[in-house]
Amino acid sequence: MLAFKMLDKVVGLLSTIVLARMLVPADFGLVAMAMVLIAAMNVLVAFGFDVSLIQKQNANRDDFDTAWTFTVLFSAICAIILALGAGPAAAFYREPRLELVLYILAFTFFIQGCANIGPVIFRREMRFDQEFKYLISKRLSTFFVTIPLAVYLQNYWALVIGQLVGHSISVITSYIISDYRPRFCMKAKLELFHSSKWLMLANIVSFVSNSGAQFIIGRVSGPQVLGVYTIAAEISTMPTTELVAPINRAAFPGYAKSAADPAALRASFLKVISSIALFAIPAGIGIIAVADLMVPSVLGWKWLDAIPVIQVMSVYGVIQAVQTNIGYIYLAQGNMRRVTLINTMQAMLLVIMLVPAVRYWGVMGAAFASLAAIVLMIPVNQTLIARSLQLSGTDFLRKIMRPLVAALLMGGAIMLLKSSFALDKVTHQYVLALLLCVAVGALVYGGAVYLLWRLAGAPEGPEEFVVQKVELVLRKAGIRVSLMPKR
């Protein structure tokens, strides 16, 4: 799953870079307006059936077929609602171009809802090699359609048509890669709805948390500012939350299998948190340190307004990365009500702060409101997970401390290095400076993590795994060095 997400984000980052250089912020903002409405419709079909099917140990064919049937039916209903609302939505945003875009994306929404339910079996049975093939085919199909269209059209239609063709190909792929053939069935409707009602409510709340800022910015500030925020949020959280997503995706079935054994569940959770911290914390702090070099190098000079937004949202991404796995513990335990209540609290905090923040401080206000909401939720999340898994007050902190200290040292080294640069407004100078900072940051972080790990007595965990892999790679290259301590 981590291999998929890294490849997925490499493709996604390459796509963003190419599109950002070909299109203007207003193009991204226009499509972002439409995607907020698509996300709202997704809430109505996101019953969390996949979670229920994984969590339920004795799920049968009727369960899978009923889940697929409801997804198809509700996708059709929501697509019709979206098409009927295209005109009013365009009037609300004061953006007439939005109407036709929504008609096309409404059709895309229905097509996406017809995807095969079979690939959920890959996750349930922890056959992540098969899921890797399925997910990467979805990403590549959209990529290889959107980029040529952007080169040819040079406008927002490349994004819209890319969505339509890409999702169509992914639906076809879902039936090719899985031999499961769903059929219309309603036999398990009551049980599935009972188990998914809290998840659906949680999804509604998550929509408010994830899309509330875009909805308000689009209405108050228009597509240009919304485009800056959308790209800034994507770039800043890509190395944190997106790297964490595959770890969570792979961890959840394991949590579900050990939910009845508190000791095993606690040990698994702490191992996962260690792995998340090792990758996500330096990624987020690194983005903060190099944002002023990365934006002109990668996105271009027309995106300079995104720099401070990226830096603030990177802090948000780091915090979210080390907190997001907590919800999967509750899902594995069947405590979906708690997930919903926690998400509701965070969404309420965000909405309270978001409206005045955007009105008075624009896009930066939205970034700080998102950050403030997630910071205020830290004590709540930590208290509840400590009670649920019987964790001591320092168990969680110990798992993230070494990566955090090493990442702060890395950030300091990058800032010190940048202070020695004298750059003109020339892209290639910024590219070289960015590459140098990334290289130095990686060396400093790797060395600091290794040193801190050895000073801590070389405990078992992700650092040990990485060190063993480094030794193996060096040995294959003919370099024999002993990095592991003698036990």
Side-chain angles (χ1 to χ4, degrees):
M1 284 295 93
L2 185 59
F4 157 71
K5 209 61 181 184
M6 291 181 72
L7 181 57
D8 175 57
K9 283 302 133 182
V10 167
V11 175
L13 181 59
L14 180 60
S15 176
T16 300
I17 292 170
V18 174
L19 293 172
R21 288 191 168 275
M22 292 183 179
L23 308 179
V24 296
D27 288 332
F28 282 91
L30 176 63
V31 176
M33 287 177 178
M35 296 312 295
V36 168
L37 300 176
I38 294 293
M41 291 296 103
N42 264 320
V43 169
L44 300 180
V45 298
F47 295 101
F49 290 146
D50 57 336
V51 174
S52 299
L53 293 172
I54 293 171
Q55 197 268 340
K56 183 181 177 182
Q57 296 298 312
N58 60 343
N60 56 34
R61 182 178 181 91
D62 287 342
D63 295 311
F64 279 85
D65 288 345
T66 303
W68 178 81
T69 300
F70 273 116
T71 301
V72 172
L73 292 177
F74 276 90
S75 294
I77 293 170
C78 289
I80 293 171
I81 294 172
L82 194 61
L84 293 175
F92 174 81
Y93 279 117
R94 300 185 293 270
E95 181 52 76
R97 296 177 298 172
L98 183 62
E99 184 172 357
L100 183 56
V101 169
L102 283 174
Y103 288 141
I104 295 175
L105 291 180
F107 182 61
T108 304
F109 189 89
F110 169 69
I111 291 175
Q112 188 177 4
C114 296
N116 191 2
I117 194 74
V120 174
I121 299 173
F122 299 153
R123 290 174 64 194
R124 177 181 169 83
E125 298 177 354
M126 302 182 75
R127 292 157 55 193
F128 295 114
D129 56 334
Q130 291 296 104
E131 187 169 26
F132 172 89
K133 296 174 184 177
Y134 172 56
L135 294 176
I136 201 62
S137 67
K138 291 173 62 177
R139 163 58 82 177
L140 291 177
S141 61
T142 303
F143 174 80
F144 285 119
V145 171
T146 305
I147 297 301
L149 283 172
V151 174
Y152 178 72
L153 297 174
Q154 297 282 313
N155 61 35
Y156 60 89
W157 282 113
L159 301 173
V160 178
I161 299 173
Q163 288 279 323
L164 172 61
V165 178
H167 284 303
S168 299
I169 294 173
S170 71
V171 169
I172 295 171
T173 303
S174 72
Y175 287 91
I176 295 174
I177 201 165
S178 172
D179 58 6
Y180 188 88
R181 293 295 176 263
R183 60 194 179 192
F184 283 95
C185 174
M186 293 285 192
K187 292 181 180 179
K189 58 181 183 298
L190 295 179
E191 186 177 358
L192 274 177
F193 269 116
H194 176 74
S195 62
S196 300
K197 61 183 178 182
W198 286 106
L199 274 176
M200 184 179 182
L201 183 56
N203 288 329
I204 294 173
V205 174
S206 294
F207 163 74
V208 175
S209 297
N210 297 330
S211 303
Q214 292 178 320
F215 182 82
I216 294 172
I217 292 171
R219 179 68 174 87
V220 174
S221 304
Q224 175 78 16
V225 176
L226 178 56
V228 170
Y229 179 84
T230 301
I231 290 296
E234 180 177 351
I235 292 292
S236 59
T237 59
M238 185 180 293
T240 50
T241 55
E242 295 299 339
L243 278 177
V244 170
I247 299 176
N248 290 335
R249 193 178 183 91
F252 175 57
Y255 288 166
K257 291 181 182 299
S258 59
D261 185 347
L265 187 59
R266 180 172 59 250
S268 296
F269 172 73
L270 292 175
K271 288 179 181 178
V272 171
I273 288 298
S274 298
S275 300
I276 288 173
L278 190 66
F279 293 104
I281 293 178
I285 292 178
I287 290 290
I288 296 169
V290 302
D292 56 339
L293 299 175
M294 180 183 65
V295 169
S297 299
V298 175
L299 301 179
W301 298 98
K302 59 189 173 186
W303 293 94
L304 294 181
D305 290 343
I307 293 173
V309 185
I310 288 174
Q311 291 174 321
V312 174
M313 292 301 292
S314 292
V315 181
Y316 168 89
V318 170
I319 297 172
Q320 186 182 46
V322 297
Q323 296 286 308
T324 187
N325 190 255
I326 293 174
Y328 287 87
I329 292 293
Y330 303 143
L331 291 177
Q333 293 173 329
N335 196 347
M336 300 169 190
R337 184 167 180 260
R338 177 173 289 185
V339 176
T340 304
L341 293 176
I342 291 172
N343 289 343
T344 301
M345 289 179 63
Q346 183 170 329
M348 290 175 63
L349 287 170
L350 177 61
V351 170
I352 290 170
M353 293 182 287
L354 196 57
V355 175
V358 172
R359 186 170 297 276
Y360 289 104
W361 297 291
V363 67
M364 287 301 297
F368 276 112
S370 299
L371 177 58
I374 201 168
V375 167
L376 291 173
M377 287 300 298
I378 291 176
V380 177
N381 282 318
Q382 293 305 123
T383 299
L384 291 176
I385 193 62
R387 291 177 181 175
S388 182
L389 293 181
Q390 299 178 354
L391 296 173
S392 71
T394 58
D395 284 340
F396 191 95
L397 187 61
R398 281 201 298 266
K399 296 301 179 181
I400 68 172
M401 186 52 64
R402 289 193 299 272
L404 178 59
V405 172
L408 290 174
L409 291 173
M410 174 197 72
I414 292 174
M415 299 302 291
L416 184 63
L417 177 62
K418 286 200 307 181
S419 66
S420 66
F421 295 155
L423 302 176
D424 298 320
K425 196 174 179 180
V426 180
T427 300
H428 76 268
Q429 291 185 8
Y430 278 77
V431 171
L432 292 175
L434 175 63
L435 293 175
L436 180 59
C437 286
V438 169
V440 169
L443 289 173
V444 171
Y445 177 72
V449 163
Y450 177 71
L451 180 60
L452 292 170
W453 176 68
R454 291 296 298 263
L455 291 174
E460 293 183 354
E463 294 103 329
E464 180 182 37
F465 176 81
V466 172
V467 169
Q468 289 174 343
K469 292 297 181 183
V470 171
E471 278 191 352
L472 180 61
V473 171
L474 292 176
R475 195 175 301 119
K476 289 182 177 179
I479 303 173
R480 296 195 171 274
V481 59
S482 179
L483 299 175
M484 288 291 297
K486 295 182 179 179
R487 300 190 184 276

